[in-house]
Amino acid sequence: MVVKAHASTLDEVARLAGVSKATASRAINGRSKVSAKAQAAVLDAVRELGYTPNGAARSLVMQRTGSVAVILPESDERVFSDPFFARMLHAVARALRERDLQLVLLLAQPGDESRMLLYLRGRYVDGAIVASHHRDDRLAEHLSDLGLPCVFIGTPWLGADRVSVVDSDNAGAAAQAVRVLVESGRRRIAAIAGPRDMRAGHDRLAGWRQELEAAGLDSSRVAYGDFTEHSGTTACAELLDADGDIDGIFAASDLMALGAMRELEARGLRVPDDVAIVGYDDLGVAERTQPPLTTLRNPIGQMVTEAVRLLTETIDQGGRGAPRHVVFVPELVRRDTV
Amino acid sequence: MVVKAHASTLDEVARLAGVSKATASRAINGRSKVSAKAQAAVLDAVRELGYTPNGAARSLVMQRTGSVAVILPESDERVFSDPFFARMLHAVARALRERDLQLVLLLAQPGDESRMLLYLRGRYVDGAIVASHHRDDRLAEHLSDLGLPCVFIGTPWLGADRVSVVDSDNAGAAAQAVRVLVESGRRRIAAIAGPRDMRAGHDRLAGWRQELEAAGLDSSRVAYGDFTEHSGTTACAELLDADGDIDGIFAASDLMALGAMRELEARGLRVPDDVAIVGYDDLGVAERTQPPLTTLRNPIGQMVTEAVRLLTETIDQGGRGAPRHVVFVPELVRRDTV
DNA sequence: TTGAAAGCGATACCAT
DNA sequence: ATGGTATCGCTTTCAA
């Protein structure tokens, strides 16, 4: 490959191969019939020149960029501390790779989403997946206005009816957790909830409360965390200080469950003998706690696969088509903490 | 704003405003003089149509995309567990924002960097910052071949002379750590090293060894970790099992230092009375250990600022200019573990 | 099968 | 200050 000052153009390739731009283009993209001879000549020229199509030019005429954005409307600390995102991105990357799409990650600082919006309106990507873990700043409305194909993972607080959404049944799963605890004979069941301004936190708490009330049990034992291990420890201490009689805990994340278990251990309380506990997520930590944690498996893989499917479908339809909503049901994973 | 099926073009804006495309473009970009009247008419039309310039078209003629890539040639688990990346991306995002550039994050799965390379060759970005935390797959050579402006944070194993690099003096810093330990009277100093295939891991160990030998001390007490807390615990146990007399430890990351401290505590060894310890990074954990950790501050902020400066400079020069190397010196942060 | 030419949607030069 | 027009690099009719 020759070292060149600037990237080579299709024109140069065509000239070197002794054919027209049209033929060169066809040979490269392989969509149309080209004589074996021309084919070879073009490919040689491409190699010789180290040619790669100019993305801007190609996008301009094709009205396609071949890349989709994943938008994380979160502070970077959150993004880089919650295993949820790692798992999700991993799945997204895989799904997009299969469809030959490039993943472009857009970190939207909570305040300055304007520049990201500008980027999206510039049509630098064909579509977007928004992991709306957080109460977001009208992102759903903005994207909907924009007319850019998009799918939300997790229901946004605002404008959920205007965009496609893939979610899991957080409330139903929490109810399931409560049922397991009740079946094992627990009666004084507390919740370590997630942040109130996050959909998942909100819905899981609601499910816990509803199921508890349906069972005629007290639903006043609540402490809030932020999904981190440390906050789980603090919340658990708070709970125990207020009421030493607690015999069951539902934690809205495995990390918080882990933190809670540390606190229980520090106080000499045994799991599950003295206090049973159910977590949420099953992203790896759950298997490694001592004892292994009973939890709800957040179906991230399924959600992502479906999200990418919906998105590419929408893109292929040229952005037309009504928003669609899909909900997956988390599965209870029985281990040894109940 | 009118809801439209497709994004509007400059042509439509111009027509609605009753001016030519040229004038409309000038009014929008504000580079050239436009009469107040035309200005207003165009801006109104823009608002009315919800117009945003088409990125592809603009890039094509400007030969600029207004976005730069940050490439992380790492598995996503690593990226999302090591606080180094969070801190770095935070700094990059800030620096780019100041220059009105869009950050595009490219996660290069260790195996499949080809599609990312294709993206880069397509000139979808003006330049790239590579956080080469890891032994990378000839990325420096590839990018250099490509002619795309780029800056590496951390010296790549291969082709470092062909690209610009910003790094910190890992070896020198490690030597500093050893000196502090020696000065406090320690003589049997062990190292908890990072992975051998990571530059930072390699260089820090080398610095430790060199300084120890210069002081006429034994440099055989080494255990390897992978920068995580858990690996620090394991490595520390390994070290202690092999030689109970250790009185000083240099850990190549704060996380590993933390893990080591947990192990020391579990064995009833007191820090710093029985064993002194120095970490590396100072990314937050160091302040919160018990007791607070003496460590080397990895100057991530400085490195990133410089990297972005170098990159934009290179971009502005049209990619010409020789590769440049800049090295920062980590600062010793004295706390209570020595 | 191939080539000439018409766009895609912007910017910028050159007159006016 | 403004408008006409060439241009960026590519894909895709339309004829031949």
Side-chain angles (χ1 to χ4, degrees):
Chain A
M1 184 178 126
V2 176
V3 175
K4 309 200 55 268
H6 71 281
S8 43
T9 71
L10 183 62
D11 223 7
E12 304 178 282
V13 171
R15 213 165 325 158
L16 181 56
V19 298
S20 70
K21 285 196 310 183
T23 304
S25 174
R26 287 188 270 250
I28 289 168
N29 295 307
R31 298 212 177 293
S32 185
K33 280 138 271 282
V34 175
S35 69
K37 190 177 136 204
Q39 182 75 263
V42 171
L43 258 41
D44 280 350
V46 165
R47 220 175 332 252
E48 169 106 8
L49 263 34
Y51 169 80
T52 313
N54 177 305
R58 180 172 241 175
S59 305
L60 184 55
V61 54
M62 308 241 294
Q63 307 283 42
R64 279 285 189 97
T65 65
S67 44
V68 324
V70 170
I71 303 174
L72 303 182
E74 287 284 348
S75 70
D76 10 45
E77 299 104 65
R78 262 257 172 60
V79 170
F80 289 92
S81 63
D82 194 331
F84 170 86
F85 289 107
R87 177 68 65 96
M88 197 207 58
L89 278 171
H90 188 85
V92 172
R94 214 168 47 73
L96 289 180
R97 197 153 44 229
E98 277 170 20
R99 293 177 161 77
D100 227 46
L101 288 164
Q102 172 67 40
L103 161 61
V104 166
L105 195 55
L106 263 28
L107 299 174
Q109 306 300 331
D112 117 287
E113 24 158 36
S114 65
R115 89 158 300 96
M116 183 207 58
L117 243 29
L118 209 64
Y119 185 84
L120 295 175
R121 303 178 68 183
R123 305 273 153 175
Y124 286 97
V125 293
D126 297 332
I129 289 179
V130 183
S132 167
H133 214 192
H134 210 20
R135 157 169 278 159
D136 68 68
D137 311 300
R138 324 193 79 86
L139 214 46
E141 282 142 317
H142 283 142
L143 290 184
S144 157
D145 280 348
L146 230 166
L148 185 76
C150 67
V151 178
F152 279 67
I153 294 184
T155 311
W157 289 88
L158 266 25
D161 50 323
R162 299 177 50 184
V163 294
S164 287
V165 174
V166 174
D167 207 343
S168 64
D169 182 10
N170 286 296
Q176 227 181 129
V178 170
R179 244 172 279 134
V180 174
L181 288 167
V182 170
E183 278 164 17
S184 82
R186 317 294 166 157
R187 290 296 174 268
R188 294 172 301 283
I189 301 172
I192 298 183
R196 295 184 198 64
D197 72 334
M198 290 208 212
R199 194 86 216 188
H202 175 271
D203 291 357
R204 290 171 197 174
L205 180 61
W208 167 85
R209 176 165 289 134
Q210 194 174 336
E211 185 66 19
L212 230 40
E213 287 170 359
L217 295 172
D218 182 21
S219 66
S220 67
R221 297 178 182 87
V222 179
Y224 291 89
D226 62 1
F227 288 144
T228 64
E229 178 186 338
H230 180 72
S231 74
T233 301
T234 311
C236 183
E238 196 180 309
L239 249 19
L240 257 19
D241 288 343
D243 176 2
D245 265 358
I246 286 167
D247 61 6
I249 295 179
F250 165 59
S253 82
D254 289 344
L255 248 26
M256 294 198 295
L258 171 59
M261 286 168 73
R262 288 208 202 285
E263 180 65 18
L264 291 170
E265 191 187 354
R267 297 192 180 212
L269 292 168
R270 292 164 28 143
V271 174
D273 305 354
D274 300 320
V275 181
I277 183 163
V278 179
Y280 203 112
D281 276 342
D282 198 36
L283 290 178
V285 260
E287 308 171 33
R288 296 192 298 265
T289 57
Q290 201 46 253
L293 185 66
T294 293
T295 190
L296 278 319
R297 175 171 300 145
N298 204 351
I300 296 179
Q302 290 177 54
M303 291 198 289
V304 165
T305 303
E306 180 64 12
V308 171
R309 214 182 57 68
L310 280 180
L311 183 65
T312 50
E313 212 172 282
T314 308
I315 291 175
D316 289 343
Q317 293 167 356
R320 281 172 294 281
R324 298 174 52 183
H325 286 206
V326 180
V327 175
F328 289 92
V329 178
E331 172 196 357
L332 180 74
V333 181
R334 295 194 110 99
R335 294 210 179 84
D336 309 324
T337 55
V338 173
Chain B
M1 182 178 128
V2 175
V3 175
K4 309 199 52 270
H6 71 282
S8 41
T9 71
L10 183 62
D11 224 7
E12 304 178 282
V13 171
R15 214 167 321 162
L16 181 56
V19 298
S20 71
K21 285 198 311 182
T23 303
S25 175
R26 287 188 270 252
I28 290 168
N29 295 306
R31 297 214 177 293
S32 185
K33 281 137 271 281
V34 175
S35 70
K37 189 176 137 205
Q39 181 76 260
V42 171
L43 258 42
D44 280 351
V46 166
R47 221 176 331 254
E48 168 105 9
L49 263 37
Y51 168 81
T52 312
N54 178 305
R58 181 172 235 174
S59 304
L60 185 55
V61 55
M62 306 240 294
Q63 306 282 44
R64 279 286 188 97
T65 65
S67 44
V68 324
V70 170
I71 302 174
L72 303 181
E74 286 283 348
S75 70
D76 10 44
E77 300 104 64
R78 260 260 172 60
V79 170
F80 290 93
S81 63
D82 194 329
F84 170 86
F85 290 107
R87 177 68 66 94
M88 197 208 54
L89 279 171
H90 189 85
V92 172
R94 214 168 46 74
L96 290 180
R97 194 152 49 229
E98 277 170 20
R99 293 178 161 75
D100 228 46
L101 288 164
Q102 172 67 40
L103 162 61
V104 167
L105 196 55
L106 263 29
L107 299 175
Q109 306 299 332
D112 118 287
E113 23 158 35
S114 65
R115 91 159 298 96
M116 183 207 58
L117 244 27
L118 210 63
Y119 185 84
L120 295 176
R121 303 179 69 181
R123 304 275 152 173
Y124 287 97
V125 293
D126 297 332
I129 289 178
V130 183
S132 167
H133 213 190
H134 209 20
R135 156 167 279 159
D136 66 69
D137 310 299
R138 323 193 79 87
L139 213 46
E141 282 141 319
H142 283 143
L143 290 184
S144 158
D145 280 348
L146 231 165
L148 186 76
C150 67
V151 178
F152 278 68
I153 293 183
T155 311
W157 289 89
L158 267 24
D161 49 323
R162 299 176 51 184
V163 294
S164 287
V165 174
V166 174
D167 207 343
S168 63
D169 181 11
N170 287 295
Q176 226 181 129
V178 171
R179 245 172 280 135
V180 174
L181 289 167
V182 171
E183 277 163 18
S184 84
R186 317 295 167 158
R187 290 295 175 270
R188 293 172 301 283
I189 302 172
I192 297 181
R196 295 184 198 64
D197 71 335
M198 291 209 210
R199 194 85 214 189
H202 175 270
D203 292 358
R204 289 171 197 174
L205 180 60
W208 168 86
R209 175 165 290 136
Q210 194 174 335
E211 185 66 19
L212 228 39
E213 288 171 358
L217 295 172
D218 182 23
S219 66
S220 67
R221 299 178 179 86
V222 178
Y224 292 88
D226 61 2
F227 289 143
T228 64
E229 178 186 338
H230 180 71
S231 74
T233 301
T234 311
C236 183
E238 196 179 308
L239 249 17
L240 258 18
D241 287 343
D243 176 3
D245 264 358
I246 286 168
D247 60 7
I249 295 178
F250 164 60
S253 83
D254 289 344
L255 248 26
M256 293 198 296
L258 172 60
M261 286 168 73
R262 289 210 202 284
E263 180 65 18
L264 290 171
E265 191 186 354
R267 296 192 181 212
L269 292 168
R270 294 166 24 147
V271 174
D273 304 354
D274 298 320
V275 181
I277 183 163
V278 179
Y280 204 114
D281 276 342
D282 199 36
L283 290 177
V285 260
E287 309 170 35
R288 296 192 297 266
T289 56
Q290 201 45 253
L293 184 66
T294 293
T295 190
L296 278 319
R297 176 171 301 144
N298 204 351
I300 296 178
Q302 291 178 53
M303 292 198 290
V304 165
T305 304
E306 180 63 12
V308 171
R309 214 181 57 68
L310 280 180
L311 183 65
T312 50
E313 214 172 280
T314 308
I315 292 174
D316 290 343
Q317 294 167 355
R320 280 172 295 282
R324 297 174 53 182
H325 286 208
V326 180
V327 175
F328 289 94
V329 179
E331 173 195 358
L332 179 75
V333 182
R334 295 193 109 98
R335 295 210 178 83
D336 310 324
T337 55
V338 174

